[in-house]
Amino acid sequence: GEDVEQSLFLSVREGDSSVINCTYTDSSSTYLYWYKQEPGAGLQLLTYIFSNMDMKQDQRLTVLLNKKDKHLSLRIADTQTGDSAIYFCAPQTAGNQFYFGTGTSLTVIP
Amino acid sequence: EPEVTQTPSHQVTQMGQEVILRCVPISNHLYFYWYRQILGQKVEFLVSFYNNEISEKSEIFDDQFSVERPDGSNFTLKIRSTKLEDSAMYFCASTGQGGGEKLFFGSGTQLSVL
């Protein structure tokens, strides 16, 4: 399977930008997803990027992909308290498998 | 928006008992998955299922586990003889053709093995 690594914790002040980073190992990953998990809840798809793109913007979310370094990041602009959650990076392999990172717990301080 | 439905939401069982977790994937989807998340830990892949057979499974998915699509709508995960360490949240997921199609998750079944 694919190894997906993320920092475990991130704290930001409300209104600041958050940047959550992810590294992966499978260079054949086709699509790369970001999922959000609020406490006690399931996994909610936030956004994704195709592997031939460098950047994708979706309202407050910006995804950056460095395919050479196998590095993915999620930037949340104007972070709100409602953004507090665990964020999972999930590359999709060419074999249509999805592997999840360790998750980054984002805490937004009012 | 279409939903993946999982039942029950909570399941409590005694060690050594068999449990069946049920899932109804989105109706036109073709790929089905089970993941689990032990409290406070990462989401772990268990198994994927396509064209009525297992397409990939992880080391966790040993002989105690099995999956089945008994009819056109349900997708089940059976644990034959549960162990304490099987206690986790089990998520079912499905997707259509893959490749940019969303992986839709159910809300999970919390399994507690006593």
Side-chain angles (χ1 to χ4, degrees), chain B residues 11 21 36-39 44 84-90 109-113:
Chain B
Q11 174 91 48
L21 309 183
R36 79 171 185 192
Q37 186 180 32
I38 295 170
L39 184 64
E44 299 174 294
L84 296 175
E85 53 264 39
D86 294 327
S87 295
M89 179 74 90
Y90 288 81
T109 294
Q110 179 65 55
L111 176 65
S112 298
V113 182

mmCIF file of all heavy atoms in Angstrom, chain B residues 11 21 36-39 44 84-90 109-113:
data_model
loop_
_atom_site.group_PDB
_atom_site.id
_atom_site.type_symbol
_atom_site.label_atom_id
_atom_site.label_comp_id
_atom_site.label_asym_id
_atom_site.label_seq_id
_atom_site.Cartn_x
_atom_site.Cartn_y
_atom_site.Cartn_z
ATOM 1 N N GLN B 11 -22.773 -1.081 17.646
ATOM 2 C CA GLN B 11 -22.912 -2.522 17.847
ATOM 3 C C GLN B 11 -22.008 -2.908 19.015
ATOM 4 O O GLN B 11 -20.816 -2.622 18.982
ATOM 5 C CB GLN B 11 -22.498 -3.264 16.582
ATOM 6 C CG GLN B 11 -22.460 -4.762 16.705
ATOM 7 C CD GLN B 11 -23.763 -5.411 16.326
ATOM 8 O OE1 GLN B 11 -24.341 -5.114 15.291
ATOM 9 N NE2 GLN B 11 -24.242 -6.306 17.173
ATOM 10 N N LEU B 21 -21.681 -6.235 9.817
ATOM 11 C CA LEU B 21 -21.921 -4.807 9.621
ATOM 12 C C LEU B 21 -22.487 -4.615 8.220
ATOM 13 O O LEU B 21 -21.959 -5.181 7.253
ATOM 14 C CB LEU B 21 -20.615 -4.018 9.796
ATOM 15 C CG LEU B 21 -19.830 -4.301 11.074
ATOM 16 C CD1 LEU B 21 -18.599 -3.404 11.153
ATOM 17 C CD2 LEU B 21 -20.684 -4.166 12.302
ATOM 18 N N ARG B 36 -11.496 1.067 8.645
ATOM 19 C CA ARG B 36 -11.798 1.170 10.066
ATOM 20 C C ARG B 36 -10.902 2.239 10.698
ATOM 21 O O ARG B 36 -9.828 2.566 10.193
ATOM 22 C CB ARG B 36 -11.611 -0.167 10.778
ATOM 23 C CG ARG B 36 -10.184 -0.513 11.103
ATOM 24 C CD ARG B 36 -10.081 -1.728 11.980
ATOM 25 N NE ARG B 36 -8.695 -1.958 12.372
ATOM 26 C CZ ARG B 36 -8.268 -3.064 12.950
ATOM 27 N NH1 ARG B 36 -9.121 -4.053 13.218
ATOM 28 N NH2 ARG B 36 -7.016 -3.183 13.291
ATOM 29 N N GLN B 37 -11.396 2.760 11.812
ATOM 30 C CA GLN B 37 -10.642 3.782 12.541
ATOM 31 C C GLN B 37 -10.735 3.470 14.026
ATOM 32 O O GLN B 37 -11.806 3.627 14.629
ATOM 33 C CB GLN B 37 -11.197 5.166 12.238
ATOM 34 C CG GLN B 37 -10.374 6.296 12.836
ATOM 35 C CD GLN B 37 -10.952 7.655 12.513
ATOM 36 O OE1 GLN B 37 -12.163 7.816 12.386
ATOM 37 N NE2 GLN B 37 -10.098 8.662 12.389
ATOM 38 N N ILE B 38 -9.633 3.002 14.572
ATOM 39 C CA ILE B 38 -9.569 2.821 16.017
ATOM 40 C C ILE B 38 -9.508 4.210 16.650
ATOM 41 O O ILE B 38 -8.882 5.127 16.093
ATOM 42 C CB ILE B 38 -8.350 1.968 16.399
ATOM 43 C CG1 ILE B 38 -8.534 0.549 15.826
ATOM 44 C CG2 ILE B 38 -8.144 1.918 17.902
ATOM 45 C CD1 ILE B 38 -7.327 -0.340 15.920
ATOM 46 N N LEU B 39 -10.138 4.364 17.790
ATOM 47 C CA LEU B 39 -10.286 5.668 18.423
ATOM 48 C C LEU B 39 -8.951 6.405 18.493
ATOM 49 O O LEU B 39 -7.969 5.889 19.033
ATOM 50 C CB LEU B 39 -10.871 5.493 19.826
ATOM 51 C CG LEU B 39 -11.170 6.773 20.590
ATOM 52 C CD1 LEU B 39 -12.264 7.572 19.878
ATOM 53 C CD2 LEU B 39 -11.606 6.460 22.020
ATOM 54 N N GLU B 44 -7.825 3.236 8.482
ATOM 55 C CA GLU B 44 -7.077 2.124 7.893
ATOM 56 C C GLU B 44 -7.917 1.406 6.832
ATOM 57 O O GLU B 44 -9.085 1.072 7.072
ATOM 58 C CB GLU B 44 -6.707 1.107 8.972
ATOM 59 C CG GLU B 44 -5.817 1.663 10.075
ATOM 60 C CD GLU B 44 -5.608 0.643 11.169
ATOM 61 O OE1 GLU B 44 -6.592 0.289 11.865
ATOM 62 O OE2 GLU B 44 -4.459 0.191 11.341
ATOM 63 N N LEU B 84 -11.031 -8.178 21.167
ATOM 64 C CA LEU B 84 -11.101 -6.852 21.779
ATOM 65 C C LEU B 84 -10.545 -5.783 20.849
ATOM 66 O O LEU B 84 -11.105 -4.679 20.746
ATOM 67 C CB LEU B 84 -10.330 -6.827 23.103
ATOM 68 C CG LEU B 84 -10.850 -7.710 24.228
ATOM 69 C CD1 LEU B 84 -9.913 -7.674 25.428
ATOM 70 C CD2 LEU B 84 -12.259 -7.299 24.634
ATOM 71 N N GLU B 85 -9.472 -6.126 20.141
ATOM 72 C CA GLU B 85 -8.811 -5.140 19.279
ATOM 73 C C GLU B 85 -9.583 -4.841 17.988
ATOM 74 O O GLU B 85 -9.165 -4.008 17.199
ATOM 75 C CB GLU B 85 -7.374 -5.578 18.950
ATOM 76 C CG GLU B 85 -7.261 -6.967 18.374
ATOM 77 C CD GLU B 85 -6.945 -8.029 19.431
ATOM 78 O OE1 GLU B 85 -7.498 -7.946 20.563
ATOM 79 O OE2 GLU B 85 -6.175 -8.950 19.111
ATOM 80 N N ASP B 86 -10.705 -5.530 17.791
ATOM 81 C CA ASP B 86 -11.571 -5.191 16.651
ATOM 82 C C ASP B 86 -12.466 -3.995 16.963
ATOM 83 O O ASP B 86 -13.157 -3.484 16.069
ATOM 84 C CB ASP B 86 -12.456 -6.384 16.266
ATOM 85 C CG ASP B 86 -11.661 -7.550 15.730
ATOM 86 O OD1 ASP B 86 -10.616 -7.314 15.066
ATOM 87 O OD2 ASP B 86 -12.058 -8.707 15.973
ATOM 88 N N SER B 87 -12.460 -3.553 18.204
ATOM 89 C CA SER B 87 -13.263 -2.377 18.568
ATOM 90 C C SER B 87 -12.772 -1.172 17.793
ATOM 91 O O SER B 87 -11.598 -0.808 17.864
ATOM 92 C CB SER B 87 -13.150 -2.111 20.074
ATOM 93 O OG SER B 87 -13.712 -3.151 20.820
ATOM 94 N N ALA B 88 -13.663 -0.578 17.027
ATOM 95 C CA ALA B 88 -13.292 0.543 16.155
ATOM 96 C C ALA B 88 -14.554 1.081 15.502
ATOM 97 O O ALA B 88 -15.635 0.497 15.606
ATOM 98 C CB ALA B 88 -12.309 0.094 15.067
ATOM 99 N N MET B 89 -14.390 2.175 14.790
ATOM 100 C CA MET B 89 -15.446 2.672 13.910
ATOM 101 C C MET B 89 -15.175 2.092 12.532
ATOM 102 O O MET B 89 -14.060 2.212 12.020
ATOM 103 C CB MET B 89 -15.423 4.204 13.867
ATOM 104 C CG MET B 89 -16.465 4.808 12.971
ATOM 105 S SD MET B 89 -18.121 4.716 13.682
ATOM 106 C CE MET B 89 -18.153 6.263 14.587
ATOM 107 N N TYR B 90 -16.165 1.457 11.959
ATOM 108 C CA TYR B 90 -16.024 0.849 10.639
ATOM 109 C C TYR B 90 -16.799 1.690 9.629
ATOM 110 O O TYR B 90 -17.998 1.934 9.789
ATOM 111 C CB TYR B 90 -16.544 -0.590 10.657
ATOM 112 C CG TYR B 90 -15.609 -1.515 11.405
ATOM 113 C CD1 TYR B 90 -15.633 -1.579 12.790
ATOM 114 C CD2 TYR B 90 -14.692 -2.304 10.726
ATOM 115 C CE1 TYR B 90 -14.754 -2.396 13.481
ATOM 116 C CE2 TYR B 90 -13.807 -3.129 11.409
ATOM 117 C CZ TYR B 90 -13.848 -3.164 12.788
ATOM 118 O OH TYR B 90 -12.973 -3.974 13.485
ATOM 119 N N THR B 109 -20.169 2.526 11.610
ATOM 120 C CA THR B 109 -20.704 1.689 12.683
ATOM 121 C C THR B 109 -19.648 1.605 13.763
ATOM 122 O O THR B 109 -18.524 1.165 13.498
ATOM 123 C CB THR B 109 -21.043 0.269 12.192
ATOM 124 O OG1 THR B 109 -22.103 0.319 11.262
ATOM 125 C CG2 THR B 109 -21.432 -0.627 13.367
ATOM 126 N N GLN B 110 -20.004 2.036 14.964
ATOM 127 C CA GLN B 110 -19.081 1.935 16.087
ATOM 128 C C GLN B 110 -19.218 0.545 16.689
ATOM 129 O O GLN B 110 -20.268 0.202 17.244
ATOM 130 C CB GLN B 110 -19.403 2.995 17.145
ATOM 131 C CG GLN B 110 -18.502 2.944 18.359
ATOM 132 C CD GLN B 110 -17.065 3.265 18.032
ATOM 133 O OE1 GLN B 110 -16.756 4.312 17.466
ATOM 134 N NE2 GLN B 110 -16.150 2.363 18.390
ATOM 135 N N LEU B 111 -18.188 -0.266 16.556
ATOM 136 C CA LEU B 111 -18.201 -1.622 17.104
ATOM 137 C C LEU B 111 -17.435 -1.648 18.417
ATOM 138 O O LEU B 111 -16.272 -1.229 18.469
ATOM 139 C CB LEU B 111 -17.559 -2.605 16.118
ATOM 140 C CG LEU B 111 -17.429 -4.049 16.614
ATOM 141 C CD1 LEU B 111 -18.797 -4.681 16.827
ATOM 142 C CD2 LEU B 111 -16.594 -4.886 15.648
ATOM 143 N N SER B 112 -18.088 -2.121 19.452
ATOM 144 C CA SER B 112 -17.436 -2.272 20.760
ATOM 145 C C SER B 112 -17.446 -3.750 21.125
ATOM 146 O O SER B 112 -18.514 -4.369 21.212
ATOM 147 C CB SER B 112 -18.179 -1.480 21.833
ATOM 148 O OG SER B 112 -18.159 -0.104 21.532
ATOM 149 N N VAL B 113 -16.260 -4.314 21.318
ATOM 150 C CA VAL B 113 -16.130 -5.718 21.695
ATOM 151 C C VAL B 113 -15.750 -5.774 23.172
ATOM 152 O O VAL B 113 -14.733 -5.196 23.582
ATOM 153 C CB VAL B 113 -15.073 -6.433 20.834
ATOM 154 C CG1 VAL B 113 -15.001 -7.907 21.212
ATOM 155 C CG2 VAL B 113 -15.382 -6.272 19.357
#
